[in-house]
Amino acid sequence: MKATRLGAAALAAALLGALVAGTPAQAAPAPTSTDTTSTDCVTNPATPKRQFRAMWIASVTNIDWPSKDSWTAPDQVAKQKAEYLAWLDLAQKLNHNAVVVQVRPTADAFWPSPYEPWSEYLTGVRGQDPGWDPLAFLVAESHKRNLEFHAWFNPYRVSMPAPGGAGADLSKLAPNSPARQHPDWVFAYPPAGVAGSRLYYNPGIPEVREFVQTAMMDAVKRYDVDGVHFDDYFYPYPSGTYQVPDDATFAQYNRGFTDRADWRRDNINLLVQEMNAKIKAAKPWVKFGVSPFGIWRNASADPNGSDTTGSQSYDIISADTRKWVKEEWIDYIVPQLYWYIGQYPAADYARLVPWWAEQVRGTRVQLYIGQADYKSGDPAYGSFWMNPQELSNHLTLNRSYPEVLGNVHFSAVQVRANRLGATDIYAAEHYSRPALVPTMTHLPHKPLLFPVVTKAQREADGVRLSWRQPADGKGPLGTATSYAIYRFDGLGLAGRCDFADASHLVGTVRATDGAVQSWVDTTATDGARYTYYVTALDRLANESPASLPRFVR
């Protein structure tokens, strides 16, 4: 161990010496630390350095991707790929740094799964092979844009209502659906014959819980996903007075519970706890997050609850979301706070944000907020949502709570629709600069050496920077997955606090194969003088010290 540390230190010293020798005299000081956690740097809240920014890209019923138009396209695969790349273009335009993509919407798969059938939302036919591997493409293309890819799974939903979906009819599922092979694993809710009826895997059956975890873990193990994401579908939302048909299941598998509501919650607790353990055992760096309904419990029902009067996920879908936070079974939580700011007793956005901030405080669970872009500009949701500033006001309110580390927008088609210009407004006021995703210090990481910038030269389309990453991933050092580029006007040295927000962050880029990395600053002005710095980031966005400066005269 001592010898390894000495080798790394000697390597760093040698690199520094070589850098100083080849750099103008004013660059001689050691590389600048980008760690501002122990400083009192003054930052601009409108340009945070770290903030999770994403949109949900839903596949169920072809909400976002792929579109139904692509089912019948002469060149179906090419059209579906082009559609997805257009979503990535939008994400980049808005300075997002992640996408949350639904890849298992109804107990099916967007990859060649040995456990479940191909998703009908790829071809329009349940179980039909689309002729390519969509998940491999989705991950690879997202990473090319340096966007984190969070694979969104629905654990228990098996079908959507008829006529578009299979409804409660097992015979309409794909021939190789496990639900057809194990009809005792599923129930219909509401009952068959009732409008809206669909099939669910029964969360109370231990074999079912194990199976859905195995099916989802197949994707985690085989693909380079950055996160696993669940939404709010666990036990089905209540429909009228119909009861979930699990009498026999409770009798057989109650594990000593006498209260069925507590037993159901424990079934979902086990799903979440076990899934987290399996993810971390297979790939410790993969994040696990859940996007629940925005109300855990009301204060009238529980003193720990929020100042709300709406439906409670704890009671109606058996999701004890607060427990998942307190037990740290998840890495992040994205409550769907799909309500406006104002006097709305059932669920006021301005009351729920501080409540959720309090729940994550003191834990290692990160809080992002689910935003209702789908309501913006739609008169059906009331006058508050006809205010073009409503969504931007949400993000402004979030700034008052340091626990809020980002936002996820529902959904991609609504973000693109930009009704009332609301997307443009919040993007200009809150996403004007790039941002790194927040770090998760409890996940494994190693220190990174600073990059060696070897060239900065003007080209027809801007300033091209070239650099190398010394000892990348060797010995006790981490692997550089991407890079951040900072630009300062004029020729001079930056201090630690100059890296504390994104005021000078001009871009990030994914690492590529090969010793030399490069990036073009297309926003550079002809004739202007600049000072550039480059930092290395691992796959969890932990950042190296800044490179020595490179000047462009």
Side-chain angles (χ1 to χ4, degrees):
M1 181 62 71
K2 290 182 179 178
T4 303
R5 288 180 175 172
L6 180 61
L11 174 61
L15 286 168
L16 183 57
L19 283 167
V20 172
T23 311
Q26 62 266 41
T32 304
S33 171
T34 55
D35 180 9
T36 58
T37 56
S38 60
T39 68
D40 295 322
C41 299
V42 177
T43 59
N44 182 351
T47 58
K49 178 173 177 173
R50 294 188 180 274
Q51 185 178 57
F52 190 85
R53 302 172 184 168
M55 56 187 171
W56 279 290
I57 300 178
S59 61
V60 68
T61 67
N62 300 100
I63 291 174
D64 296 312
W65 183 87
S67 74
K68 289 186 177 180
D69 289 342
S70 67
W71 287 358
T72 56
D75 190 350
Q76 171 187 302
V77 175
K79 184 167 185 177
Q80 289 185 354
K81 288 182 175 180
E83 286 179 347
Y84 185 71
L85 294 179
W87 290 126
L88 299 187
D89 289 342
L90 178 61
Q92 284 190 300
K93 176 184 175 183
L94 296 174
N95 281 324
H96 286 189
N97 47 33
V99 287
V100 182
V101 185
Q102 193 173 33
V103 298
R104 186 183 179 269
T106 51
D108 49 12
F110 272 55
W111 71 97
S113 168
Y115 302 101
E116 295 183 305
W118 282 104
S119 177
E120 65 185 280
Y121 303 117
L122 288 164
T123 63
V125 179
R126 298 178 190 107
Q128 179 172 302
D129 188 338
W132 61 303
D133 187 341
L135 183 52
F137 174 81
L138 301 177
V139 173
E141 292 301 321
S142 301
H143 284 169
K144 285 180 184 178
R145 312 294 186 99
N146 204 29
L147 296 165
E148 280 196 343
F149 185 91
H150 290 238
W152 169 12
F153 304 96
N154 292 89
Y156 293 123
R157 184 172 61 199
V158 176
S159 67
M160 295 298 287
D169 191 344
L170 279 167
S171 69
K172 291 184 178 180
L173 299 177
N176 62 333
S177 170
R180 293 184 67 168
Q181 299 160 18
H182 302 276
D184 55 310
W185 283 5
V186 301
F187 59 73
Y189 187 85
V194 175
S197 179
R198 67 189 78 183
L199 296 170
Y200 294 87
Y201 279 127
N202 190 334
I205 300 176
E207 191 177 5
V208 166
R209 191 174 72 247
E210 177 69 24
F211 169 76
V212 299
Q213 291 171 358
T214 298
M216 294 184 287
M217 284 302 301
D218 179 63
V220 176
K221 292 175 179 178
R222 292 170 54 195
Y223 297 87
D224 190 24
V225 302
D226 301 290
V228 169
H229 186 92
F230 290 174
D231 58 18
D232 56 322
Y233 287 94
F234 297 101
Y235 274 89
Y237 279 91
S239 177
T241 60
Y242 297 111
Q243 300 300 307
V244 171
D246 59 359
D247 289 353
T249 310
F250 180 55
Q252 184 175 359
Y253 299 110
N254 59 61
R255 298 188 303 279
F257 281 92
T258 57
D259 182 275
R260 191 179 311 200
D262 289 340
W263 169 73
R264 286 178 181 167
R265 277 187 289 273
D266 193 60
N267 291 333
I268 306 303
N269 288 345
L270 288 171
L271 170 75
V272 172
Q273 184 181 15
E274 292 169 358
M275 191 67 188
N276 180 58
K278 289 181 177 180
I279 293 167
K280 297 303 187 287
K283 292 183 176 179
W285 58 89
V286 172
K287 305 169 185 178
F288 181 34
V290 180
S291 174
F293 182 75
I295 299 173
W296 170 69
R297 298 201 87 187
N298 300 314
S300 59
D302 190 307
N304 292 314
S306 52
D307 183 14
T308 49
T309 61
S311 298
Q312 307 169 107
S313 65
Y314 180 93
D315 300 284
I316 65 170
I317 56 174
S318 306
D320 192 354
T321 54
R322 182 175 181 270
K323 184 178 182 68
W324 307 342
V325 171
K326 298 303 183 182
E327 297 291 339
E328 298 181 334
W329 291 338
I330 53 179
D331 298 303
Y332 68 86
I333 193 161
V334 193
Q336 299 173 22
L337 302 192
Y338 294 168
W339 301 286
Y340 56 79
I341 298 172
Q343 298 304 312
Y344 181 50
D348 184 343
Y349 184 92
R351 295 178 182 178
L352 279 161
V353 168
W355 185 87
W356 280 103
E358 182 182 353
Q359 305 319 303
V360 302
R361 193 173 299 137
T363 75
R364 65 190 189 190
V365 178
Q366 294 187 352
L367 173 62
Y368 318 140
I369 304 297
Q371 300 293 343
D373 288 52
Y374 73 96
K375 289 186 174 180
S376 179
D378 187 337
Y381 294 108
S383 61
F384 281 87
W385 289 105
M386 298 307 292
N387 176 7
Q389 287 285 150
E390 180 65 28
L391 286 171
S392 188
N393 290 344
H394 289 195
L395 274 57
T396 299
L397 185 149
N398 292 355
R399 293 179 188 172
S400 300
Y401 301 92
E403 294 83 7
V404 179
L405 298 178
N407 300 278
V408 186
H409 299 267
F410 189 82
S411 67
V413 292
Q414 310 297 338
V415 173
R416 183 177 63 187
N418 190 28
R419 287 186 296 274
L420 307 178
T423 302
D424 289 341
I425 292 170
Y426 71 67
E429 295 182 354
H430 300 278
Y431 300 161
S432 64
R433 309 292 297 178
L436 311 180
V437 297
T439 57
M440 292 187 175
T441 56
H442 65 283
L443 299 183
H445 61 279
K446 297 178 179 180
L448 290 159
L449 287 180
F450 56 88
V452 178
V453 182
T454 57
K455 186 181 296 185
Q457 62 184 28
R458 292 190 181 276
E459 297 183 349
D461 54 349
V463 174
R464 177 174 294 277
L465 297 175
S466 300
W467 63 87
R468 293 174 178 266
Q469 182 61 33
D472 193 19
K474 297 179 180 178
L477 302 172
T479 300
T481 301
S482 63
Y483 297 90
I485 300 94
Y486 299 84
R487 186 186 72 198
F488 297 84
D489 293 335
L491 307 180
L493 298 179
R496 176 180 298 186
C497 287
D498 292 319
F499 297 92
D501 63 19
S503 298
H504 300 286
L505 180 63
V506 289
T508 68
V509 62
R510 198 77 173 182
T512 58
D513 293 336
V516 178
Q517 310 289 309
S518 69
W519 177 82
V520 178
D521 180 5
T522 58
T523 65
T525 302
D526 288 342
R529 295 183 173 188
Y530 295 121
T531 302
Y532 287 94
Y533 293 84
V534 180
T535 62
L537 306 165
D538 66 13
R539 68 172 304 137
L540 290 165
N542 296 292
E543 191 174 23
S544 75
S547 68
L548 291 175
R550 194 76 187 194
F551 304 100
V552 176
R553 301 181 184 277

